[in-house]
Amino acid sequence: MFAQIIVDVPAKGTNRLFDYLIPPSLITTVEIGSRVEVSFGGRVLQGYVVGLSRESNYEISKLKPITRVLDVEPPLTEELVSLARWMSDKYLCHIAAALGVMLPGALKGKAERYVVVNEATVSSADSSLDESLVQTSGQDTMQAIMTFPIQQSILSYLRSKNKVTLPELLDTFAEDIGTVKQMFESGVLQEVQAVRDRLAVRKVLTVFAKFGAEHLREVAEKLPAQAHKQKDTLLAIAEHDKPLRVTELNELVPGAAGAARTLANKGLIELKEVEALRDPYAGRKFVRTDALQLTSDQQIVFQAIEQAVVASYHEVFLLHGITGSGKTEVYLQTIQSCLDLGREAIVLVPEISLTPQMVERFKGRFGDQVAVLHSRLSQGERYDEWRKIKRGLVKVAIGARSAIFAPFKRVGLIIIDEEHESSYKQEETPKYHARDVAIRRAELNDAVVVLGSATPSLEAIHETDYEQDGTGRFKLLSMHNRASGGLLPEVHIIDMRDELKQGNRSMFSKGLYKAIEERLHKKEQTILFLNRRGYATFVMCRTCGYVAQCPHCDISLTYHQKSHAMRCHYCGYAERELKRCPSCDSEHIRHFGTGTQRVEEELYKLFPSIRVIRMDVDTTSAKGSHEKLLTAFRNKQGDVLLGTQMVAKGLDFPDVTLVGVIAADTVLGLPDFRAGERTFQLLTQVAGRAGRHLLPGQVFVQTYMPEHYAIQASSRHDYAAFAEHELEARKARGYPPYHKMMLITFMHEQVPPLIRAASSFADELRKRGAALSMRGDSQLPCLDVLGPVASPIPRIKDRYRFQCVVKYRMDTLASQLVAETAELFEERLAKEKIGFSVDVDPQYLM
DNA sequence: TTGTAGCGCAGT
DNA sequence: CTGCGCTACAAG
């Protein structure tokens, strides 16, 4: 039998199948989806089995065998393997990269090299040494006598330590390199390679009783008085009647760990290392909740989705529900239906809104059937949650983007909450969009996809046949009322230009100031939102306007409070805080502190007694701090919750009646065709935090562009008006969703060769596009190549960047054309060392 | 990606 | 002539 393997080397030359022999001993364990150890081009690495066959086209005598299977059960399924191939086509990434992103970090095995003693040769080597002592004379004998103890000490060194690397050995026996060499030549020592996982399965020392409880009690009673520890321990074990962790035992009987060892020696119990799953939510009680009575809106939506789930009919629903309309309850109940059918469900949530509150709702309803995957878990915890899924111990996976790869076997329902969030697009290779992967995965499983949002992306709304031109693939479901029956908050747009004219130079308008003051009186709470973008923490000289920049990246350095350093966001370059301006020597150089810090200071100035809880990168970096701050706010230990994106989404506090947006238009100024969409989404989301329960809410939006349609529409809670306007604009300019897009970036240390290569690449692509249009599938050009132009960040890590934007109609053809052209240029780009990357459906054109 | 073979150049 | 660095190339 032969296995077709993708080796874990994401590179052009290795992005293909390699045949390997399956040794007879492994024939029953190697499956499609297995992770195996293979030797490949003089080294050992991990590979993924993506196919099995009885024949090989490769010369069989040259095939190498699979040396080891790395997991008890294959970590991937056939379905995930086929999904990886699809991703590789769609996103022009290496299959190894696509497979890699599906596995938890713990399973990225890397080869380790170390020196081993070939025990079989040792005795013969010793005896040959003895012989040489007898047979030879003079210098040879002297040498043998000299090296013999050295050999012995090398051997005992290696036997005492495990996994000694060659450099380590040479370092330790630096004086005797000659002897070490000899030992390698004679075969006594060997360097071997083996794949080792980044992380081991956690083992816990566990007590197993070897006799029944009755017998143990009897023995315990007979123990001498001074052995009371042993007696207590034994009784505790007898009491428990199940295998017990030593740590638990120690809690019951302090000092039991020692006694347990003695008892084990007496043969009464056994101590064994047992595989354990770390539970990040261990010891936390979740209050069980039952299904709520659905509102009529919810009921209609629920029935539509449930019907498809029950019928196992692949369908994509776009659930447009205003903030507070109760989307989560609909999710919970549809998931229940899915589980009732014996199928599993995946719930994707943007990282930022995967709050404890959210987890609680799912754990509360489905208990320990839920696995949670988010970035704040340690690698070990993440691995264990993943294994729960893999082993079928849970039926629901909730997590951020990469949870779409949860290794379930029969996915019946995939829910993507806040579908419009750009964080569903991975910015690193493989640059996949979880929404598209979800739809593909659902197709493969006859599963249902629910995309939920209060502000659907234009891509999604376009797919619902919004314009009734028959192009839609999604079914639109809507919920226009808040589940609580409450009203959407009243939104006031405040023209900051007027404020300035009236002499108000503070960052708070009079209206917002008054509103905050009022909440303080009424003991109600306020959320203040500050968009991070635009309020960068750069360092500027107030005398000459000098801005500290990264010497490698053409981007401003960011000031870091903690280390008093200025850091580059892109390459990590850091230098110490400046006391004087390097350009004009002025002392008036200072950082424009994180926007939130400035706002906080100002708040304390305006309202000396105010209690502000600030949430930004600085205050939430420690593990669990995010949760702590939110709990404090919930317990009304703060009057104001001030923060960046983190406070914009998903939070639900009953006493929040005021939301203030300090500067609504910072995003609008960015050179991005999605700027309007982002602004609308953000404002709508933030506004949705106010007045979610009994108390009515109020929102103040401060802006310098009050007439902008995104701001206007969001203030009226009018998604339809916004969508109509925005779609019109996109259509006119040929942007998504009417055209698809690809961003091709070229990178090099020097500009001229970079421009030359990028230009000829663009020309070639245009030529091919034109040739294809000529063949007449469509009258319109199927491909429009813009650029090359300098990227918005023109240099990163000393490499200049130029980019081409490709707009196109049919995605497979365009990907193919780009792939072909890339292949054609492969040699040239490699030779000139020009970096090249493709982003399909980019979220940001930079 | 990485190990190696092949090549040229410098240093002994 | 050895040794090191660079490049090109292949990997089952």
Side-chain angles (χ1 to χ4, degrees):
Chain A
M1 282 292 273
F2 306 97
Q4 280 75 55
I5 285 177
I6 293 287
V7 289
D8 194 16
V9 180
K12 279 187 200 104
T14 50
N15 193 35
R16 61 199 173 92
L17 299 178
F18 288 94
D19 284 5
Y20 277 85
L21 275 171
I22 305 177
S25 60
L26 296 180
I27 256 174
T28 49
T29 31
V30 173
E31 293 173 50
I32 290 179
S34 292
R35 198 170 58 106
V36 293
E37 180 190 78
V38 289
S39 110
F40 182 74
R43 62 211 170 106
V44 169
L45 36 81
Q46 79 175 14
Y48 307 99
V49 177
V50 299
L52 298 171
S53 63
R54 301 192 166 277
E55 277 152 54
S56 168
N57 295 325
Y58 198 72
E59 202 180 315
I60 294 177
S61 61
K62 285 195 186 158
L63 287 180
K64 289 185 183 169
I66 290 173
T67 48
R68 202 154 60 100
V69 176
L70 293 169
D71 311 271
V72 181
E73 264 192 49
L76 295 162
T77 58
E78 262 190 87
E79 181 217 340
L80 289 174
V81 167
S82 105
L83 194 65
R85 292 188 163 194
W86 174 85
M87 283 171 69
S88 153
D89 287 340
K90 167 145 178 115
Y91 298 107
L92 303 171
C93 65
H94 303 124
I95 301 179
L99 290 166
V101 80
M102 296 178 169
L103 298 175
L107 296 186
K108 305 268 161 67
K110 276 232 163 214
E112 250 184 351
R113 309 169 136 234
Y114 50 94
V115 178
V116 293
V117 180
N118 188 352
E119 297 293 348
T121 65
V122 172
S123 52
S124 63
D126 286 356
S127 60
S128 73
L129 210 67
D130 292 344
E131 272 167 43
S132 68
L133 269 172
V134 178
Q135 286 173 4
T136 57
S137 57
Q139 272 196 331
D140 286 358
T141 314
M142 281 306 287
Q143 230 172 22
I145 293 167
M146 294 284 286
T147 56
F148 186 66
I150 298 170
Q151 293 198 346
Q152 285 305 325
S153 78
I154 291 173
L155 290 179
S156 63
Y157 174 76
L158 285 170
R159 285 177 185 138
S160 68
K161 298 186 78 173
N162 77 329
K163 308 218 165 155
V164 177
T165 64
L166 188 54
E168 254 169 50
L169 184 70
L170 293 176
D171 222 41
T172 318
F173 295 93
E175 310 282 297
D176 314 298
I177 290 186
T179 313
V180 175
K181 258 192 190 158
Q182 260 176 27
M183 290 171 81
F184 271 101
E185 274 158 25
S186 63
V188 175
L189 298 185
Q190 275 178 307
E191 196 184 23
V192 297
Q193 293 183 58
V195 170
R196 197 175 72 153
D197 289 343
R198 294 248 194 100
L199 193 95
V201 164
R202 191 174 130 205
K203 299 273 174 81
V204 175
L205 200 59
T206 306
V207 174
F208 291 85
K210 295 193 80 171
F211 299 93
E214 210 48 35
H215 179 75
L216 292 180
R217 281 198 195 98
E218 269 170 45
V219 177
E221 294 310 327
K222 284 184 205 148
L223 281 168
Q226 72 265 33
H228 65 274
K229 248 302 110 82
Q230 282 184 46
K231 181 178 163 187
D232 294 349
T233 306
L234 209 48
L235 289 174
I237 293 169
E239 187 68 28
H240 203 74
D241 203 34
K242 259 194 288 178
L244 189 63
R245 293 180 181 189
V246 171
T247 47
E248 290 171 329
L249 187 61
N250 229 7
E251 270 166 36
L252 295 172
V253 184
R261 215 164 303 134
T262 322
L263 292 169
N265 288 339
K266 288 186 181 168
L268 290 165
I269 60 167
E270 198 178 358
L271 289 173
K272 273 195 290 197
E273 296 276 3
V274 170
E275 197 176 298
L277 292 169
R278 305 162 185 88
D279 183 359
Y281 296 93
R284 281 263 294 278
K285 294 267 184 292
F286 293 97
V287 182
R288 283 303 283 230
T289 62
D290 295 317
L292 304 175
Q293 179 66 46
L294 296 178
T295 65
S296 62
D297 268 4
Q298 287 173 322
Q299 187 63 35
I300 292 165
V301 166
F302 167 72
Q303 277 170 358
I305 300 170
E306 190 201 29
Q307 202 178 12
V309 170
V310 170
S312 288
Y313 180 68
H314 168 66
E315 187 140 33
V316 182
F317 293 99
L318 174 61
L319 171 52
H320 176 204
I322 62 165
T323 55
S325 60
K327 292 189 284 289
T328 311
E329 185 59 33
V330 174
Y331 301 157
L332 291 168
Q333 297 198 19
T334 47
I335 292 169
Q336 188 61 60
S337 311
C338 175
L339 300 191
D340 291 345
L341 291 163
R343 301 184 74 177
E344 297 114 358
I346 296 173
V347 184
L348 298 191
V349 171
E351 182 69 54
I352 215 153
S353 46
L354 191 50
T355 56
Q357 260 183 62
M358 192 65 156
V359 171
E360 210 171 311
R361 291 196 70 175
F362 282 83
K363 287 255 184 187
R365 190 67 56 87
F366 303 113
D368 49 18
Q369 300 217 77
V370 183
V372 183
L373 297 161
H374 60 76
S375 65
R376 274 188 282 269
L377 296 180
S378 72
Q379 189 171 270
E381 289 170 334
R382 186 166 247 282
Y383 177 38
D384 289 353
E385 291 293 291
W386 182 87
R387 280 194 297 158
K388 284 185 205 164
I389 298 168
K390 184 75 190 102
R391 294 184 181 175
L393 299 175
V394 296
K395 301 291 173 206
V396 181
I398 173 168
R401 184 176 58 227
S402 64
I404 193 57
F405 302 115
F408 283 129
K409 293 184 185 74
R410 299 188 59 213
V411 175
L413 177 63
I414 302 175
I415 288 167
I416 304 188
D417 190 31
E418 312 285 358
E419 157 280 327
H420 60 275
E421 276 288 314
S422 61
S423 66
Y424 285 125
K425 180 76 196 296
Q426 172 145 311
E427 297 287 337
E428 306 86 45
T429 14
K431 302 183 176 181
Y432 69 93
H433 199 300
R435 188 209 294 139
D436 299 330
V437 176
I439 292 171
R440 178 67 193 160
R441 221 186 150 182
E443 277 169 17
L444 293 170
N445 283 285
D446 295 316
V448 172
V449 178
V450 178
L451 307 173
S453 177
T455 53
S457 65
L458 290 148
E459 281 84 349
I461 202 77
H462 182 65
E463 286 288 0
T464 61
D465 209 6
Y466 196 68
E467 294 137 275
Q468 295 168 357
D469 57 0
T471 56
R473 299 141 63 210
F474 300 173
K475 269 212 175 119
L476 180 64
L477 303 170
S478 303
M479 300 199 293
H480 293 302
N481 301 299
R482 282 195 154 179
S484 62
L487 294 173
L488 283 168
E490 175 195 351
V491 178
H492 306 271
I493 299 175
I494 296 175
D495 188 341
M496 289 306 274
R497 295 169 305 188
D498 287 348
E499 295 286 322
L500 203 64
K501 270 185 221 146
Q502 289 163 31
N504 178 6
R505 306 181 74 196
S506 123
M507 60 179 82
F508 296 102
S509 59
K510 265 180 268 139
L512 181 54
Y513 174 88
K514 279 217 183 96
I516 296 173
E517 197 177 35
E518 213 178 289
R519 303 307 124 152
L520 287 174
H521 278 304
K522 289 203 276 185
K523 305 253 184 282
E524 290 170 6
Q525 292 179 300
T526 300
I527 290 180
L528 287 180
F529 170 75
L530 183 74
N531 204 332
R532 223 181 125 61
R533 278 168 177 277
Y535 267 87
T537 56
F538 58 98
V539 177
M540 190 173 95
C541 170
R542 302 181 84 186
T543 309
C544 74
Y546 165 89
V547 174
Q549 286 215 312
C550 173
H552 310 287
C553 299
D554 285 355
I555 192 167
S556 314
L557 291 173
T558 309
Y559 179 73
H560 283 246
Q561 186 92 29
K562 269 192 213 137
S563 51
H564 294 284
M566 305 188 298
R567 238 172 246 289
C568 173
H569 203 73
Y570 287 89
C571 73
Y573 167 87
E575 62 179 77
R576 300 206 61 198
E577 179 185 9
L578 292 171
K579 297 272 185 252
R580 289 181 160 273
C581 172
S583 160
C584 73
D585 207 39
S586 156
E587 284 176 37
H588 299 287
I589 186 158
R590 48 173 289 196
H591 64 271
F592 285 73
T594 51
T596 45
Q597 257 169 291
R598 267 170 69 210
V599 179
E600 186 182 18
E601 282 164 27
E602 181 113 359
L603 278 170
Y604 282 120
K605 231 181 274 169
L606 295 172
F607 311 99
S609 67
I610 203 167
R611 296 168 305 160
V612 179
I613 294 178
R614 177 161 65 92
M615 264 180 64
D616 57 25
V617 199
D618 286 339
T619 62
T620 55
S621 51
K623 196 174 174 174
S625 53
H626 192 257
E627 185 175 358
K628 247 182 249 161
L629 293 174
L630 291 178
T631 310
F633 189 62
R634 173 169 300 272
N635 296 339
K636 302 199 79 172
Q637 288 161 13
D639 305 305
V640 172
L641 180 67
L642 164 65
T644 53
Q645 322 294 42
M646 319 176 185
V647 304
K649 288 154 198 166
L651 304 180
D652 190 347
F653 299 106
D655 289 321
V656 171
T657 56
L658 172 65
V659 166
V661 179
I662 309 283
D665 32 31
T666 52
V667 174
L668 281 177
L670 296 176
D672 189 324
F673 72 90
R674 277 189 247 259
E677 182 179 3
R678 294 231 166 77
T679 301
F680 178 81
Q681 286 165 352
L682 209 55
L683 293 180
T684 307
Q685 296 292 332
V686 186
R689 301 310 108 210
R692 291 175 69 89
H693 294 261
L694 299 171
L695 303 165
Q698 224 185 3
V699 179
F700 284 81
V701 176
Q702 304 188 151
T703 171
Y704 291 90
M705 302 183 204
E707 64 290 336
H708 193 282
Y709 65 89
I711 292 177
Q712 283 290 333
S714 71
S715 76
R716 298 192 309 267
H717 310 290
D718 192 349
Y719 176 81
F722 167 75
E724 196 181 320
H725 191 129
E726 184 71 22
L727 282 170
E728 196 80 13
R730 300 274 183 97
K731 197 176 210 167
R733 279 173 233 144
Y735 283 130
Y738 298 94
H739 283 74
K740 301 212 126 220
M741 249 190 206
M742 256 190 262
L743 181 69
I744 307 178
T745 308
F746 302 86
M747 292 150 276
H748 190 66
E749 282 168 19
Q750 256 126 38
V751 175
L754 180 58
I755 294 185
R756 257 178 277 136
S759 303
S760 45
F761 189 100
D763 288 341
E764 178 65 28
L765 199 53
R766 280 186 195 107
K767 215 165 75 192
R768 284 165 178 260
L772 200 75
S773 304
M774 296 290 276
R775 277 201 270 129
D777 309 38
S778 126
Q779 318 75 322
L780 294 149
C782 76
L783 198 68
D784 192 5
V785 185
L786 311 177
V789 295
S791 299
I793 299 165
R795 191 170 55 133
I796 294 181
K797 294 188 194 173
D798 286 323
R799 303 220 292 170
Y800 289 94
R801 302 158 63 83
F802 270 73
Q803 65 184 27
C804 292
V805 171
V806 184
K807 295 201 241 168
Y808 57 96
R809 287 184 171 275
M810 298 154 286
D811 59 353
T812 42
L813 275 182
S815 309
Q816 224 172 292
L817 282 187
V818 172
E820 283 166 21
T821 313
E823 196 142 326
L824 189 75
F825 274 70
E826 189 190 315
E827 212 177 329
R828 172 171 174 190
L829 294 173
K831 200 168 271 168
E832 297 183 35
K833 300 219 159 127
I834 292 173
F836 172 82
S837 111
V838 181
D839 186 351
V840 179
D841 304 334
Q843 288 301 298
Y844 300 92
L845 295 181
M846 55 202 291

